[in-house]
């Protein structure tokens, strides 16, 4: 039995210069002020590497079926980050050596999958940045159960809309609407300047209580 497919157009690519700027901002810097868009902490990089920012291409795959993934891989463009909602399946790995090679050949910046991957040693050799929730020897198959391509999905607790920016680093994954990126860059620059001043004062022998303004009881710092 063939399941229903929901295949939508590819989103517009985010400006490459904007992506490069966002990639230089740690997720932890944005996390000082932004309260939403962050994936849960159990979504981790498969191996160490630099931060990546790219245009979100979204995919929802049901259970043991990875058929729609093959179609999606052929549509990827340089700078895309493929975000995969596994619809609560934590048993079957949809990403392995062959699929990672296919994504890298298309110029994908990274893959973010809310579930396990397989062929972990081979994936390390391929070198495509991958964020996932562990590994599994059990894999998806081409069963034709259905799926959704470029619809809004959920990845590790964060809502991902096609065309969003996915910023991925060693601390985690952030889904950021492209329209918010310029504001976040300005806020990050201000944060860095403030933090540099704090570090300089600490190096000069001052304490945090001396450096930071006093707050009313119960206020946040």
């Amino acid at each position: 039995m063939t399941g229903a497919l929901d295949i939508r157009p590819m989103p517009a690519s985010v400006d490459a210069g904007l992506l490069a700027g966002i990639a230089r901002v740690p997720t932890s810097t944005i996390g000082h002020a932004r309260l939403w868009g962050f994936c849960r902490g159990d979504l981790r990089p498969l191996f160490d590497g630099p931060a990546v920012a790219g245009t979100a291409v979204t995919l929802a795959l049901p259970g043991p079926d990875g058929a729609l993934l093959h179609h999606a891989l052929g549509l990827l463009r340089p700078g895309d980050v493929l975000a995969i909602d596994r619809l609560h399946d934590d048993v079957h790995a949809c990403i392995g050596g062959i699929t990672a090679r296919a994504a890298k050949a298309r110029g994908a910046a990274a893959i973010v999958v809310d579930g396990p991957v397989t062929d972990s040693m081979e994936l390390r050799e391929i070198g495509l940045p991958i964020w996932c929730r562990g590994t599994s020897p059990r894999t998806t198959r081409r069963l034709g159960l259905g799926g959704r391509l470029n619809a809004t999905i959920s990845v590790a607790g964060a809502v991902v809309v096609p065309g969003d920016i996915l910023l991925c680093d060693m601390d985690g994954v952030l889904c950021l609407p492209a329209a918010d990126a310029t504001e976040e860059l300005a806020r990050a620059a201000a944060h860095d300047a403030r933090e540099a001043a704090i570090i300089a004062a600490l190096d000069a022998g001052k304490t945090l209580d001396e450096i930071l303004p006093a707050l009313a009881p119960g206020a946040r710092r």
Side-chain angles (χ1 to χ4, degrees):
M1 180 177 178
T2 301
L5 292 173
D6 181 358
I7 299 176
R8 307 184 187 188
M10 292 288 283
S13 296
V14 178
D15 176 76
L18 187 59
L19 290 176
I22 287 293
R24 291 192 289 269
V25 180
T27 55
S28 58
T29 295
I30 297 177
H32 274 80
R34 195 174 185 90
L35 301 177
W36 49 86
F38 294 92
C39 294
R40 291 191 313 270
D42 58 345
L43 190 73
R44 302 296 303 157
L46 187 62
F47 43 82
D48 293 353
V52 173
T55 304
V57 173
T58 63
L59 181 63
L61 293 177
D65 184 31
L68 186 55
L69 171 62
H70 290 211
H71 177 69
L73 290 170
L75 299 175
L76 293 178
R77 305 154 303 192
D80 284 342
V81 174
L82 180 61
I84 306 175
D85 181 353
R86 293 296 286 114
L87 302 173
H88 306 291
D89 184 287
D90 59 2
V91 174
H92 301 93
C94 63
I95 296 297
I98 294 298
T99 47
R101 289 181 191 278
K104 186 175 182 179
R106 295 292 299 177
I111 294 176
V112 174
V113 53
D114 191 5
V117 299
T118 197
D119 301 330
S120 55
M121 293 300 293
E122 185 178 357
L123 293 178
R124 183 180 296 273
E125 294 172 2
I126 292 168
L128 178 69
I130 294 174
W131 278 255
C132 62
R133 291 198 297 110
T135 61
S136 173
R138 298 176 64 181
T139 68
T140 55
R141 297 172 293 282
R142 299 181 66 188
L143 301 177
L145 299 179
R148 307 182 78 189
L149 176 61
N150 287 321
T152 299
I153 61 172
S154 173
V155 174
V159 175
V160 185
V161 177
D164 282 348
I165 295 172
L166 283 175
L167 172 61
C168 318
D169 64 16
M170 295 301 295
D171 286 328
V173 174
L174 166 67
C175 179
L176 181 68
D180 293 353
T182 300
E183 179 183 357
E184 291 298 340
L185 284 173
R187 184 179 290 158
H191 173 273
D192 289 348
R194 179 174 183 268
E195 193 168 81
I198 292 172
I199 291 171
L202 289 171
D203 291 343
K206 292 187 176 182
T207 68
L208 281 178
D209 276 344
E210 292 173 317
I211 298 167
L212 299 176
L215 297 178
R220 292 182 58 194
R221 175 167 295 177

